[in-house]
Amino acid sequence: MDFESFTLLAATDDLGVEPAARADADGLELRLDFADEPLAQLDAYDGELPILVTNRPTWEGGEAADTAGRLDALETALEHDAVTAVDLELAALEGAGDYDAGRVADTAREHNASVVVSTHNFESTPDREAIVNRLERACAHGDVGKMASTAESPDDVLAMLGASRELTAIDERVATMCMGAAGRHSRAVAPLYGSRIGYAPVDPADATAPGQYDLATLRTLVEQLRSDA
């Protein structure tokens, strides 16, 4: 996955959803931190869709302990041909945590896999200037800078969309979205402003972040908005 255009990922902890995702997804996001035996799942995987792997630590909203093993698992996952992208936290690449996340980025590049560098704010959405700053830092470390924040008002969504458009206009690759009820529509609208990645579960009951649409609904919304643009 090179994310040259919008890429819709089926967010999951179970690669068994792949056949059901094919009609609407361009790839899968496998959440190692949520999954049972994720490396064994990768060993057994024979699906058609490429995979982005994420192993989110607890300090960034995930369930993985901040150990060397968290990063080791990502490096092992990157040895699989189906894994063509990895998500790493901006904070980890800038020194948060006790272990060197940069080695995972190096491994990804050795395997010609893309690096998505992500940052999250589960409490609020900063102003546009702060969003741009965070995304620029993320883009400097990887192939795509990703930011998700919790929106409390339409103004928060406008700040995120404006930052997305600003960076897209100077050829940076970003993936942006706002979480929560006030930001839910941003997941469908953000691709029009340059966001390169969307995330959605096949089954809405399996959402991995607040405000996610199910996969088929998000694909339909994105395509309808594109055709109207």
Side-chain angles (χ1 to χ4, degrees):
M1 289 181 278
D2 57 22
F3 306 109
E4 290 187 357
S5 59
F6 179 71
T7 301
L8 180 56
L9 301 180
T12 187
D13 60 6
D14 180 359
L15 293 178
V17 306
E18 192 269 350
R22 288 178 197 165
D24 296 300
D26 302 306
L28 305 175
E29 181 201 28
L30 177 61
R31 287 292 299 264
L32 274 64
D33 54 311
F34 292 157
D36 292 327
E37 302 295 335
L39 297 179
Q41 288 191 45
L42 286 169
D43 287 339
Y45 183 69
D46 62 356
E48 299 175 5
L49 294 175
I51 300 169
L52 175 150
V53 288
T54 300
N55 202 11
R56 192 78 69 219
T58 53
W59 48 259
E60 189 85 3
E63 294 188 358
D66 186 21
T67 65
R70 178 179 83 85
L71 303 176
D72 292 342
L74 289 170
E75 289 192 282
T76 300
L78 283 161
E79 296 174 3
H80 293 78
D81 290 341
V83 176
T84 60
V86 62
D87 181 301
L88 292 171
E89 298 75 29
L90 174 62
L93 290 166
E94 292 186 334
D98 296 326
Y99 303 94
D100 176 22
R103 65 181 169 94
V104 182
D106 292 339
T107 299
R109 295 184 180 102
E110 290 169 5
H111 289 82
N112 297 313
S114 297
V115 178
V116 177
V117 178
S118 60
T119 179
H120 303 77
N121 187 324
F122 294 98
E123 302 299 324
S124 61
T125 297
D127 62 28
R128 174 169 166 168
E129 182 178 355
I131 295 170
V132 169
N133 175 268
R134 274 212 220 178
L135 286 170
E136 285 180 330
R137 285 154 48 206
C139 289
H141 284 283
D143 301 293
V144 181
K146 173 195 167 187
M147 183 167 178
S149 64
T150 297
E152 298 174 333
S153 73
D155 291 336
D156 290 337
V157 179
L158 287 174
M160 185 66 78
L161 296 177
S164 305
R165 180 59 188 155
E166 180 177 337
L167 290 168
T168 298
I170 57 172
D171 295 324
E172 296 284 13
R173 293 183 189 177
V174 299
T176 55
M177 61 219 69
C178 287
M179 299 177 285
R184 191 181 194 209
H185 67 284
S186 70
R187 295 178 179 274
V189 174
L192 297 177
Y193 293 81
S195 180
R196 302 297 180 94
I197 311 175
Y199 301 81
V202 173
D203 184 334
D206 296 328
T208 58
Q212 283 183 334
Y213 294 101
D214 67 87
L215 182 67
T217 297
L218 185 55
R219 174 60 80 186
T220 298
L221 289 170
V222 169
E223 294 303 322
Q224 286 181 341
L225 288 168
R226 276 179 168 173
S227 65
D228 291 342

